């Protein structure tokens, strides 16, 4: 019986196999039958595809002829001791040809050399040049470098704090200062004048006289070249408008040299610059390898391994990105042929990364071991759990996934390497000196302290550690001066004497004393052991801090040699003796002696400069810094360590931008010292090596226009336009946003026009080209945040992949073949499933079979199991088809056709056209208006031409909104309306439209245009210099009247006014004027220190953890409290008027933050630095920045044009219709307050020479932009790395 059962089972199984094979043949026949509906019909024409290029002159990237290149090499090579790269020569050739030049090169490639070339060329022409930087600290550093190159008498400096030799042959300045100069340039028409009739910009005699009174420093007629360093800052939020305006306002006779990091839309920037300036603009991109190539590592607690599979791959490495987006190796060199054969550098389909950019095998195996270990642990937990009645575990699949995620997070936390572990591995691999980038000030300080303590406790017992406090600060006197108080320093008799030349003081025009040699000592590379011997104190015992025993201790436990520790010790000693109030703490001294430093915005500028000097002299091996160090400060390292791959942003914690990561990585590799730089990415509790690869291989975001009109800009445009608004409109039209919008519209129209005119192309070609155009447009919309279907990073990545496929014929063909294969396999599996199900249905009843029961049950169960398995195969096939790129393209195309725009209509029309062509042949019937199926799309792809496909639009830039130009102009008009309401500009001639009216600028308007604050009108209004002369804020008075009717009295009564409230004259004078006159009176009663505190409330933002408004108000003096009450009413009126004219809140922001008022008041009153620092509770660097920003504002206010006091004294009768500007008494108080505040350590450490000049309005700038740059560090302070 068993034997018979076995035979029958075998027979049925064979029968099933025969039927299963027949099913496959049936499926193939069915597929062949179905394919008749999609008969391939070859197109008679080759292709419709036409690339619609951006309106960019191809000659921008053309190479000069050999004669010009040889001439440039001969002219410029003599200035540099090293051979110039070919791209540097190309840039120099364009400079000699008097072209604008934009240089795009990665950090460390040598783009600063091009800036120096430009300065040499200007001097050869006997003209002047300007070099701008984004940060004051960088300007100070460039000033020192350029003095060494060109000579101290030929280089000047102009920042918001310092002005030295203004108008020198070469002037270093911040970009804001140059922008303000270009605003007020009195000679040479700016680029705004392009396209405007000369008759429209002529000035009358009075305006010419006013122009002649402009500061001489605003004369740019002798300046032939301006270098805009860090040009990629143009895309920075809140600050990029400065670079954009600098280009627009630069006079036509001036060449522009933009030095930028690598940008994907640099060619469009060059085209925009050429359209604005009217001068040929050339883009030069650094080709070839980086001068010092990079190598990428990943460090965890257990591993220190190369990051990429190809160890020489990565941005800036020898092999680059292995051809990804055209970067790096595109043809495999001979030495890599074996790697390619083994599949290490081949690229996967669908825009995947080249295999050489995947994880290194060591990291991959470590990751696999970790996941396998987690799976085993979960399996053990499952096995320990009891099972339910059905034999299944009580632990669901969802719980298993959650357990796996938690275990993976725990493993990631365990894999984070300690600082000491990283340092040890860097030492073992000879990768010091290094910079650790940590996005938290506390993280930097803690890391430096932890590393120092670890080094000290590694080998030596505590009884052998030198007592820094006892032997360095509290021991025998070794030459400390009295320190600095109120900006003055005097020497006294010490146990040992310094050379008198080293104590030389220089006094500036304000009577302030400064060390003339201090900067040179900080920056000099010649401060070596010979200097330390000269400064060695006499009478120091062997057991002192400077003894050989103590120095040897730090040499043993730290990262420096004995001689290096000795040099550092004398430098620290000298600094602390000369700067007693800001001397280094004991902990910091020990860190420095161990070769460890910290660098962030919370430190004093003098301390940061000290760290930078030691690092450049190789007397410091490790620096823990925030990302602001990567913004241009010259501190090259052999290695950079990225300690975190995420940073807190507007939407919480986000992965770093690729540009930020590359900028930090680019600090590695010292040209002329290292043959290779190293970038080490450290494991974090939340990110692993795959995240590092994602960041490094992502596309760099293109520059987006950040142009925003302002009150100061509007006033200057009215002045330069002779009262007409033509110039203002022209300025808006010349912004990068407006240019991009016009370019995009032209490209779209050209693309659609070309497609409409291609009569010889097949319907399939037309449809696919319109589809590609639609997806490219949606990609641009997603990147700019205007897509109605979402703007997530995942969507942008998917759209970019789809566009890449449609624009590449080979990839499109691969995708089509893959989809066809998946579809055929799905049909095969579906037909097999149908056959099995039919066999089950047609199976005779079990009772009718004359077979044993157990044999019947086995046969049925086997058939059911086979059906279940087949259904899983069908589901898998459906997933493969639905996940194929062809299905994704079809889905996106259907979504795009549902939109209501021109592209959607074109897509529908071309799809209907191609369907109609097949329906007319009678091959098959397609429903008109039906959705696009993946199989239908795949059929069109098979029949279209795949040659010469390329992107239709320039996808390397974000597209501004279509109404960008109108929006900016509407905001400019809103600003002008507010200025007119406040009497800052006055209509000289009436007209039906504002565009054709003529205006003139009042005294108050001149002051608004001369201030560099974000909302200069609010600053002037808060100081009583302007008020609502048009009484547009009447709604506010109605509200106050309603309160009075309800019995609620207003505290801001006019009890001190000389005119009684019931007099007729009092009633006739508008309330805004009365309030303004009262505010001026109260302001004039302030002292200089009280004025400083009040001004700080207008320009300083509130810190994250600040006191309440009431608590801050109670700390003010009585006079300050009265002024603040009046200012609050003025703020309400201004906000009411700004809302009435629909001015954007970001432009019309007005603030009155009282948190720093008491601290600023005490500093201006003469309190010591230590007292003010203790009162503030802030970090020293934060306090310096707060005081410096207030000081800058006071300087600006004190330097506005003088207006006689008689124009301010209200007689109680005259109603004013114009803003009078800043009262001379208030102006004088600001000048006095600035003089009191302008002392060490708020004053930058810079040598004031005898020709130091008084700051003028063009020399001052608003520090808010630079503060915003430094405030990036604060975002993660709550989460210490």
């Amino acid at each position: 019986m068993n034997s018979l059962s076995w035979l029958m089972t075998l027979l049925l199984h064979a029968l099933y196999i025969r039927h299963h094979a027949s099913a496959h043949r049936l499926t193939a026949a069915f597929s062949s039958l179905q394919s008749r509906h999609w008969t391939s019909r070859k197109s008679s024409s080759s292709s419709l595809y036409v690339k619609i290029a951006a309106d960019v002159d191809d000659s921008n990237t053309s190479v000069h002829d050999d004669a010009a290149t040889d001439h440039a090499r001969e002219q410029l090579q003599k200035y540099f001791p090293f051979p110039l790269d070919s791209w540097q020569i190309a840039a120099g050739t364009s400079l000699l040809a008097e072209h604008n030049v934009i240089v795009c090169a990665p950090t460390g490639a040598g783009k600063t050399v091009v800036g120096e070339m430009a300065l040499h060329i200007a001097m050869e022409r006997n003209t002047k040049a300007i070099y701008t930087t984004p940060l004051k600290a960088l300007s100070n550093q460039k000033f020192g470098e350029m003095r060494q190159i060109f000579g101290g008498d030929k280089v000047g400096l102009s920042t918001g704090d310092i002005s030295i030799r203004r108008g020198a042959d070469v002037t270093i300045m911040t970009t804001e200062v140059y922008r303000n100069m270009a605003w007020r340039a009195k000679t040479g028409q700016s680029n705004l004048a392009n396209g405007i009739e000369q008759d429209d910009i002529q000035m009358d005699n009075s305006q010419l006289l006013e122009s002649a009174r402009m500061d001489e420093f605003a004369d740019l007629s002798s300046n032939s070249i301006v270098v805009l360093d860090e040009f990629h800052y143009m895309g920075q939020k809140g600050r990029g408008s400065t670079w954009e305006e600098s280009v627009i306002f630069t006079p036509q006779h001036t060449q522009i040299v933009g030095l930028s990091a690598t940008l994907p839309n640099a060619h469009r920037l060059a085209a925009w610059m050429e359209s604005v300036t009217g001068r040929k603009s050339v883009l030069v991109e650094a080709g070839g390898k980086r001068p010092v190539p990079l190598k990428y590592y990943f460090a965890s607690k257990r591993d220190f391994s190369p990051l990429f599979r190809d160890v020489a791959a990565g941005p800036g490495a020898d092999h680059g990105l292995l051809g990804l987006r055209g970067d790096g190796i595109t043809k495999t060199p001979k030495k890599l042929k074996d790697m390619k054969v083994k599949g290490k550098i081949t690229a996967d389909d669908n825009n995947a990364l080249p295999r050489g950019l995947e994880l290194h095998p060591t990291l991959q195996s470590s990751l696999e071991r970790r996941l396998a270990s987690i799976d085993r642990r979960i399996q053990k937990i499952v096995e320990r759990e009891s099972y339910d009645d059905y034999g299944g575990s009580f632990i669901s699949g969802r719980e298993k996934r959650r357990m796996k995620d938690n275990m993976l997070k725990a493993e990631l936390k365990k894999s984070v390497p300690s600082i000491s572990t990283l340092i040890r591995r860097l030492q073992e691999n000879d990768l010091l000196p290094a910079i650790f980038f940590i996005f938290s000030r506390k993280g930097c300080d803690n890391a430096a302290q932890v590393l120092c303590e670890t080094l000290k406790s590694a080998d030596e017992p505590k009884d052998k550690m030198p007592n820094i406090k006892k032997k360095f600060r509290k021991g025998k006197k070794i030459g400390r001066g009295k320190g600095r108080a109120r900006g003055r320093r005097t020497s006294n008799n010490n146990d040992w004497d310094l050379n008198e030349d080293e104590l030389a003081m220089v006094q500036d025009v304000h009577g302030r004393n400064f060390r003339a040699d201090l900067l040179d000592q900080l920056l000099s590379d010649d401060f070596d052991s010979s200097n330390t011997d000269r400064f060695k104190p006499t009478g120091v015992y062997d057991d002192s801090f400077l003894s050989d025993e103590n120095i040897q201790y730090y040499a043993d436990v730290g990262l420096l040699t004995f001689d290096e520790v000795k040099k550092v010790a004398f430098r620290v000693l000298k600094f602390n003796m000369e700067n007693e109030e800001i001397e280094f703490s004991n902990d910091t001294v020990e860190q420095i002696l161990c070769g460890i430093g910290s660098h962030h915005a919370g430190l004093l500028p003098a301390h940061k400069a000290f760290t930078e000097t030691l690092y450049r002299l190789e007397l410091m091996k490790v620096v823990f810094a925030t990302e602001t160090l990567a913004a241009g400060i010259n501190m090259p390292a052999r290695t950079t360590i990225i300690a975190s791959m995420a940073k807190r942003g507007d939407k919480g914690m986000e992965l770093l931008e690729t540009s930020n990561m590359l900028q930090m990585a680019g600090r590695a590799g010292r040209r002329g010292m290292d043959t290779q730089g190293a970038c080490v990415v450290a494991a974090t509790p939340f990110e692993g090596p795959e995240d590092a690869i994602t960041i490094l291989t992502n596309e760099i975001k293109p520059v987006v226009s950040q142009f925003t009109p302002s009150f100061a800009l509007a006033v200057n445009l009215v002045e330069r336009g002779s009262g007409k608004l033509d110039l203002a409109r022209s300025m808006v039209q010349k912004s990068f946003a407006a240019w991009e919008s016009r370019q995009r519209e032209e490209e779209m129209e050209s693309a659609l026009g070309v497609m409409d005119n291609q009569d010889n192309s097949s319907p399939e070609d037309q449809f696919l080209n319109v589809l590609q155009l639609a997806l490219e447009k949606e990609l641009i919309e997603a990147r700019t945040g205007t897509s109605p279907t979402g703007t997530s990073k995942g969507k942008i990545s998917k759209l970019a992949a789809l566009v890449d496929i449609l624009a590449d014929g080979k990839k499109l063909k691969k995708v089509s073949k893959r989809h066809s294969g998946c579809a055929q396999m799905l049909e095969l599996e579906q037909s097999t499933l149908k056959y099995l199900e039919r066999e089950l249905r047609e199976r005779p009843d079990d009772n009718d079979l004359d077979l044993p029961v157990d044999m019947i049950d086995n046969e049925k169960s086997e058939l059911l199991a086979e059906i279940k398995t087949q259904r899983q195969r069908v589901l898998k096939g459906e997933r493969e088809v639905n996940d194929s790129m062809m299905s994704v393209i079809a889905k996106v195309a259907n979504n795009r056709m549902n939109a209501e725009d021109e592209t959607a209509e074109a897509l529908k029309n071309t799809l209907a056209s191609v369907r109609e062509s097949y329906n007319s042949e009678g091959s098959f019937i397609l429903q008109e208006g039906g959705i696009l199926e993946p199989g239908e799309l795949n059929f069109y792809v098979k029949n279209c031409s795949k040659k010469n496909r390329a992107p239709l639009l320039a996808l390397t830039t974000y597209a501004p909104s279509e109404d960008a130009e109108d929006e900016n102009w509407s905001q400019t008009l809103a600003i002008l309306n507010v200025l007119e309401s406040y009497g800052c500009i006055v209509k000289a001639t009436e007209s039906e439209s504002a565009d054709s009216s003529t205006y003139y600028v009042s005294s108050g308007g001149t002051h608004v245009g001369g201030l560099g604050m974000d909302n200069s009108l609010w600053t002037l209004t808060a100081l009583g210099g302007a008020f609502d002369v048009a009484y547009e804020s009447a709604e506010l008075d109605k509200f106050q009247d309603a309160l009075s009717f309800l019995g609620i009295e207003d505290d801001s009564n006019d009890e001190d006014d000389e005119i009684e409230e019931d007099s007729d004259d009092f009633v006739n004078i508008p309330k805004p004027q009365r309030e303004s006159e009262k505010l001026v009176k109260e302001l004039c009663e302030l002292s200089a220190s009280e004025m400083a505190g009040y001004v700080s409330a207008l320009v300083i933002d509130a810190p994250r953890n600040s006191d309440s408004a009431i608590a801050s108000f109670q700390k003010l003096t009585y006079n300050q409290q009265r002024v603040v009450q009046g200012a609050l009413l003025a703020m309400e009126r201004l906000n009411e008027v700004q809302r009435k004219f629909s001015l954007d809140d970001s432009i019309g922001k007005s603030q009155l933050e009282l948190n720093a008022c008491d601290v600023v008041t005490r500093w201006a009153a003469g309190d010591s630095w230590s007292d003010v620092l203790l009162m503030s509770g802030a970090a020293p660097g934060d306090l310096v920045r707060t005081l410096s920003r207030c000081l800058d504002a006071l300087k600006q206010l004190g330097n506005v044009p003088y207006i006689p006091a008689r124009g301010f004294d209200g007689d109680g009768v005259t109603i004013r219709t114009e803003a009078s500007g800043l009262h001379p008494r208030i102006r004088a108080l600001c000048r006095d307050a600035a003089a009191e505040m302008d002392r060490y350590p708020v004053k930058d450490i810079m040598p004031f020479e005898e020709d130091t000049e008084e700051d003028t309005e063009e020399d001052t700038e608003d520090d808010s932009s630079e503060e915003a740059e430094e405030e990036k560090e604060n975002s993660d302070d709550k989460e210490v790395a």
Side-chain angles (χ1 to χ4, degrees), residues 21-40:
S22 301
H24 278 269
R25 288 193 294 271
L26 285 172
T27 302
F30 175 79
S31 177
S32 176
L33 254 175
Q34 191 181 37
S35 66
R36 295 179 185 178
H37 295 287
W38 301 94
T39 306
S40 177

Side-chain angles (χ1 to χ4, degrees), residues 331-616:
K331 295 182 179 180
T332 308
K334 292 182 179 179
K335 63 180 180 180
L336 295 178
K337 283 185 177 180
D338 294 338
M339 294 179 64
K340 187 170 183 180
V341 170
K342 296 177 182 180
K344 293 184 178 180
I345 309 183
T346 59
D348 295 334
D349 296 332
N350 301 336
N351 202 34
L353 290 178
R355 190 165 178 80
L357 293 180
E358 294 179 354
L359 277 179
H360 192 271
T362 302
L363 298 175
Q364 184 65 38
S365 61
S366 176
L367 180 62
E368 292 172 355
R369 286 197 305 270
R370 180 187 303 160
L371 293 175
S373 174
I374 292 174
D375 290 338
R376 287 194 298 270
R377 289 162 58 188
I378 294 176
Q379 185 61 32
K380 289 181 180 180
I381 295 175
V382 171
E383 291 175 355
R384 287 199 302 265
E385 295 292 333
S386 60
Y387 289 86
D388 56 23
D389 297 337
Y390 299 96
S393 173
F394 282 113
I395 301 178
S396 65
R398 183 176 181 181
E399 290 176 342
K400 290 180 183 178
R401 290 192 297 270
R402 184 168 61 249
M403 290 171 55
K404 186 172 184 178
D405 291 340
N406 292 336
M407 290 181 181
L408 183 59
K409 291 178 181 178
E411 289 295 324
L412 285 174
K413 290 181 180 179
K414 293 179 183 178
S415 68
V416 177
S418 65
I419 296 296
S420 57
T421 300
L422 281 174
I423 293 298
R424 183 175 67 253
R425 287 174 175 168
L426 293 178
Q427 286 180 305
E428 292 172 354
N429 292 274
D430 192 23
L431 294 177
L432 293 179
I435 299 176
F436 279 75
F437 285 106
I438 302 175
F439 308 129
S440 165
R441 300 178 186 180
K442 292 181 181 178
C444 292
D445 294 337
N446 291 346
Q449 183 65 27
V450 167
L451 177 59
C452 180
E453 295 298 331
T454 303
L455 293 176
K456 289 194 304 177
S457 62
D459 301 315
E460 295 292 334
K462 291 185 178 180
D463 57 354
K464 292 187 178 182
M465 297 182 184
N467 190 330
I468 296 294
K469 183 175 181 180
K470 178 180 178 181
K471 298 181 180 180
F472 182 67
R473 300 188 65 189
K474 301 299 183 182
K476 185 179 179 64
K477 285 188 177 181
I478 50 177
R480 294 164 116 193
K482 292 183 179 179
R484 298 179 187 267
R486 295 186 58 79
R488 300 181 180 275
R489 180 187 187 279
T490 57
S491 61
N492 64 331
N493 294 327
N494 303 316
D495 291 349
W496 58 284
D497 297 327
L498 294 176
N499 189 311
E500 292 183 0
D501 293 338
E502 302 300 331
L503 294 176
M505 297 286 181
V506 171
Q507 190 176 81
D508 70 352
V509 294
H510 299 296
R512 298 170 296 183
N513 292 331
F514 292 87
R515 289 294 306 278
D517 65 319
L518 188 53
L519 176 72
D520 294 328
Q521 290 180 10
L522 285 177
L523 298 182
S524 173
D525 292 354
D526 300 327
F527 192 89
D528 51 14
S529 57
S530 62
N531 294 54
T532 59
D533 292 338
R534 180 156 53 96
F535 291 116
K536 184 174 182 179
T538 59
V540 177
Y541 300 102
D542 291 339
D543 62 345
S544 71
F545 166 76
L546 296 174
S547 67
D548 289 348
E549 179 183 357
N550 292 337
I551 292 177
Q552 186 62 52
Y553 167 79
Y554 286 105
D556 291 339
V557 302
L559 305 175
L560 303 177
T561 64
F562 179 89
D563 292 337
E564 290 172 339
V565 175
K566 189 173 183 180
K567 294 178 183 179
V568 171
F570 278 104
R571 284 179 174 270
V572 173
L573 178 64
K574 186 173 184 294
F575 181 91
N576 278 3
M577 289 190 311
E578 296 177 350
N579 305 272
E580 184 175 357
E581 270 196 294
I582 62 169
E583 64 182 1
F584 291 111
S585 65
N586 297 330
D587 292 339
T588 304
V589 169
E590 288 200 309
Q591 294 168 17
I592 294 175
L593 294 176
C594 289
I596 306 166
S598 183
H599 191 288
H600 54 74
L603 300 175
L604 288 171
H607 289 180
K608 290 193 290 185
F610 190 88
T611 299
E612 294 166 9
T613 303
L614 291 183
Y615 196 84
R616 282 197 296 271

Side-chain angles (χ1 to χ4, degrees), residues 272 524 568 590 702 711 768 822 838 1005 1203:
W272 166 73
S524 173
V568 171
E590 288 200 309
F711 286 99
L768 287 178
C822 292
R838 185 172 65 251
I1203 298 175

Side-chain angles (χ1 to χ4, degrees), residues 1030-1044:
Y1031 208 0
E1032 297 286 352
S1033 57
E1035 292 295 328
L1036 179 63
D1037 292 328
K1038 293 179 181 179
F1039 176 72
Q1040 291 177 342
D1041 293 340
L1043 293 179
S1044 300

